[in-house]
Amino acid sequence: MSMTSEFKEFIAKGNVLDLAVAVVIGAAFGKIVTAFVDKIIMPPIGLLIGGVDFSKWAIILKDATVNAAGEAVPAVAIGIGEFLNTLIQFLIIAAAVFVVVKAINRMQPKKVEAPAAPSEEVLLLREIRDSVKK
């Protein structure tokens, strides 16, 4: 089998196509969650805390300067607000994935395990019981 035909067979399998669809939908869902957190959740929280814009909330370690060549040197800062936004986005996505997995697990039929075969001792005891009954 040639490499090309083998690759076509691999791509044509349902699992690969399902995975591709999941990646595209996951990327779109990530953008939705980002917009939800940045535009809907964080502004009211910032207003309640005292008008803080979380996207710009940072600890400045070194202020922005201009070097000898006249080029701007950006500030060195720890972006706490961006980190909080990302953390909240992660928690929302994790909760959504948890709910989806839980729903899928509920829809799958429960597997009934066959009883285990009796041990050698039980078989021997049954044999003795049966011989005593005779």
Side-chain angles (χ1 to χ4, degrees), residues 30-46 52-56 81-89 92:
K31 289 181 182 182
I32 291 169
V33 170
T34 298
F36 179 69
V37 169
D38 291 345
K39 305 296 182 191
I40 295 174
I41 291 181
M42 296 313 279
I45 292 174
V52 175
D53 181 6
F54 280 96
S55 64
K56 294 185 174 100
E82 290 179 23
F83 175 73
L84 285 176
N85 284 351
T86 305
L87 182 64
I88 292 171
Q89 291 168 14
I92 290 172

Side-chain angles (χ1 to χ4, degrees), residues 124-134:
L124 182 60
L125 288 172
R126 285 181 184 170
E127 189 177 315
I128 294 170
R129 177 196 65 196
D130 293 343
S131 67
V132 168
K133 281 184 181 180
K134 292 182 183 181

Side-chain angles (χ1 to χ4, degrees), residues 112-126:
V112 178
E113 293 183 24
S119 67
E120 288 291 322
E121 293 139 351
V122 171
L123 292 174
L124 182 60
L125 288 172
R126 285 181 184 170

